Amino acid sequence: MLTETIVEDERWVETGLPELAERAAKSTLRHLGLTPDHWSIGILGCDDNRMSKLNFDFLGKSRSTNVLSWPVAERSAIQPGSPPPAPEPDNRDLGDIAIAYEYCATEAINVGRSLEDHVAHLVVHAVLHLLGYDHANDKDAALMENLEREILVGLNVNTLY
């Protein structure tokens, strides 16, 4: 398995987070030409309180957010709008992702998506961050958004929001 999911908030069990995260993460890696079996990603399904603590501890922000990611290695594109280098095969671990239930459930309602589709999008987004993709400038954001859209179409996820 590519992902190992720890469920701290039992509401994630109802959404099928472990299976959903596995499917979205595998689709992301395959889309980028990476073999999912060669890598591992940790997923934490938590609540807003836990996410607020993580967000404060790692980013100094005292509020919750939808998803956070911690790549094992920093990768970034050489030029804005170009893909970052592929991960080195000597370290199977790509990093960790945390996702907050209440924040995601509210966002899903606000954007008119099912919670499952919204979570799939957030996992794809977070996996791309683990691989060095970012949205800090317009060119990188366009690349990342286009990749997300392509991957989500392959997952049969609504990309209109």
Side-chain angles (χ1 to χ4, degrees):
M1 276 187 58
L2 168 62
T3 59
E4 180 180 339
T5 302
I6 297 171
V7 175
E8 284 187 352
D9 185 321
E10 288 302 312
R11 292 174 290 182
W12 282 118
V13 173
E14 297 169 23
T15 67
L17 179 62
E19 298 81 12
L20 185 59
E22 179 78 7
R23 187 169 160 248
K26 279 185 174 180
S27 292
T28 303
L29 293 185
R30 284 188 188 119
H31 189 83
L32 297 171
L34 299 170
T35 304
D37 293 344
H38 294 168
W39 311 101
S40 66
I41 298 170
I43 309 279
L44 173 65
C46 61
D47 63 13
D48 276 7
N49 288 332
R50 174 84 148 125
M51 184 64 87
S52 291
K53 291 174 186 163
L54 292 169
N55 206 11
F56 182 78
D57 290 347
F58 291 96
L59 298 176
K61 298 178 182 178
S62 56
R63 61 177 172 78
S64 187
T65 189
N66 52 13
V67 67
L68 290 172
S69 58
W70 297 271
V72 166
E74 288 299 320
R75 297 173 191 84
S76 59
I78 295 169
Q79 296 180 14
S82 64
E88 295 293 326
D90 58 334
N91 185 358
R92 291 183 38 89
D93 188 14
L94 293 176
D96 297 314
I97 296 168
I99 188 163
Y101 186 85
E102 297 95 336
Y103 202 105
C104 292
T106 300
E107 259 186 346
I109 291 166
N110 291 340
V111 297
R113 271 187 168 166
S114 70
L115 179 57
E116 292 77 11
D117 280 359
H118 191 55
V119 169
H121 184 180
L122 292 172
V123 170
V124 168
H125 182 86
V127 171
L128 288 172
H129 276 308
L130 294 181
L131 294 169
Y133 290 86
D134 205 348
H135 41 81
N137 63 61
D138 290 344
K139 288 182 179 181
D140 288 341
L143 173 64
M144 190 169 179
E145 289 167 13
N146 286 333
L147 283 171
E148 287 175 8
R149 215 174 347 272
E150 291 169 4
I151 295 163
L152 293 172
V153 165
L155 288 167
N156 294 316
V157 169
N158 175 9
T159 59
L160 302 174
Y161 54 94

